[in-house]
Amino acid sequence: METDETLNKTLSKTLIEIKDMRKIYNPGENEVHALDGVDLTICEQEFVAIIGHSGSGKSTLMNMLGCLDVPTTGTYLLHGIDVSDMDDDELSDIRNREIGFIFQGFNLIQNLTAVENVTLPLIYRGVGKKEREELALKALEKVGLSHRLDHKPAQMSGGQQQRVAIARAIAQAPPIILADEPTGNLDSNSTKEILQILRELHSEGRTVILITHDNEIAEQADRVIKIRDGRIVSDTRRTGQDTVPGHDQAINQEKGMEDENNE
């Protein structure tokens, strides 16, 4: 178990800082507050799970964290840079440099092989042919698919397709891995394999943010943030530590346990 001193040294550098973030859809009489005053700090090299039921706001928060959307109000600082009012081109550049995405539906191109699926985003990032092939082979080897390089998605199991998707996400070694329900379409054995890969990526120094509705999946992370009705209602650590500096200390572990018992 980590001591307070070890934890503070490990989580000393802020990566993400969100302040009073709000996202309102259909402004006016029928407006929906998908995010309602979210404050959140995530430090470098954390393994965080964000959990919530359908309609809780977790998907909207994921879109904000992944620079796929911008808030109605509030700020989002990434590496100290405010990205909350950037335009589409600027957000695209941030995504390419900073974030590797893993989605529930794999999002692979069916007529491309595993290695082609991994190299395709690297083409758009301007990586040369030789380098992108080397990066793709290394990434596929890392997820245990060096023997499936020429296989297309239809020739692979769901777990193997998700591993190709992970290889695509990590090929250029982004500092942040954002995984949205990455095991939602997988059986139990494939789920274990994917979670193990995420843990290994975290152990190598990447920040892993896992979006899920499943408590068992969320418990694999070191920190679990629960969202409900667009607000963070608990923020706890497996070690029993409270939230990282910058988060409202009134939201504590007892509150999180109480919420779980009331569901």
Side-chain angles (χ1 to χ4, degrees):
M1 181 177 292
E2 293 176 304
T3 64
D4 290 347
E5 182 179 0
T6 302
L7 188 67
N8 289 334
K9 286 181 179 178
T10 302
L11 304 179
S12 60
K13 193 169 183 180
T14 299
L15 173 65
I16 289 169
E17 187 173 8
I18 288 174
K19 298 179 181 178
D20 195 27
M21 180 179 282
R22 300 173 189 273
K23 183 64 177 180
I24 301 173
Y25 295 106
N26 304 319
E29 185 176 346
N30 298 316
E31 65 185 23
V32 176
H33 291 252
L35 294 178
D36 191 11
V38 170
D39 294 304
L40 176 62
T41 299
I42 296 176
C43 292
E44 291 183 354
Q45 301 181 29
E46 282 202 85
F47 187 175
V48 181
I50 298 175
I51 185 170
H53 296 300
S54 177
S56 64
K58 69 179 187 301
S59 294
T60 302
L61 181 56
M62 183 213 68
N63 288 338
M64 301 299 161
L65 292 169
C67 295
L68 296 167
D69 199 358
V70 294
T72 304
T73 61
T75 58
Y76 174 15
L77 303 180
L78 180 61
H79 291 301
I81 299 172
D82 190 352
V83 302
S84 50
D85 59 355
M86 287 185 173
D87 61 30
D88 289 343
D89 289 341
E90 291 172 320
L91 290 173
S92 178
D93 184 57
I94 292 288
R95 291 194 299 270
N96 283 336
R97 289 188 288 107
E98 301 286 344
I99 305 167
F101 292 93
I102 305 168
F103 296 104
Q104 178 177 351
F106 315 144
N107 291 356
L108 302 178
I109 297 177
Q110 295 299 309
N111 63 343
L112 297 184
T113 64
V115 70
E116 289 169 340
N117 266 286
V118 176
T119 56
L120 184 61
L122 300 176
I123 297 174
Y124 298 136
R125 294 172 187 173
V127 180
K129 182 177 180 180
K130 182 178 180 181
E131 183 182 358
R132 66 177 179 256
E133 288 178 351
E134 291 175 350
L135 290 172
L137 292 174
K138 183 178 179 180
L140 286 163
E141 181 179 2
K142 186 175 187 61
V143 298
L145 287 179
S146 57
H147 61 302
R148 290 286 191 270
L149 301 179
D150 297 323
H151 285 64
K152 295 182 179 180
Q155 298 171 307
M156 294 184 283
S157 68
Q160 289 171 339
Q161 291 183 62
Q162 189 61 292
R163 281 189 274 164
V164 173
I166 293 174
R168 180 183 57 194
I170 67 174
Q172 210 171 12
I176 303 169
I177 300 297
L178 186 57
D180 181 22
E181 301 280 7
T183 62
N185 290 334
L186 304 179
D187 58 34
S188 58
N189 287 333
S190 296
T191 293
K192 291 177 183 177
E193 292 174 353
I194 298 306
L195 290 173
Q196 180 58 34
I197 291 172
L198 292 177
R199 282 191 289 267
E200 290 172 359
L201 292 170
H202 171 245
S203 69
E204 293 170 0
R206 290 183 177 87
T207 303
V208 178
I209 303 174
L210 173 63
I211 313 296
T212 184
H213 68 279
D214 189 319
N215 283 306
E216 290 187 12
I217 300 298
E219 288 171 1
Q220 303 302 309
D222 297 327
R223 178 182 174 196
V224 179
I225 297 168
K226 186 169 185 178
I227 187 168
R228 179 187 297 151
D229 298 329
R231 298 180 179 182
I232 292 176
V233 296
S234 67
D235 187 345
T236 62
R237 296 188 184 282
R238 285 198 302 166
T239 58
Q241 297 290 333
D242 203 353
T243 58
V244 295
H247 187 50
D248 186 352
Q249 297 301 309
I251 299 176
N252 54 29
Q253 186 169 0
E254 287 73 26
K255 177 73 165 74
M257 294 172 63
E258 182 179 284
D259 287 332
E260 290 292 343
N261 291 333
N262 288 336
E263 288 190 347

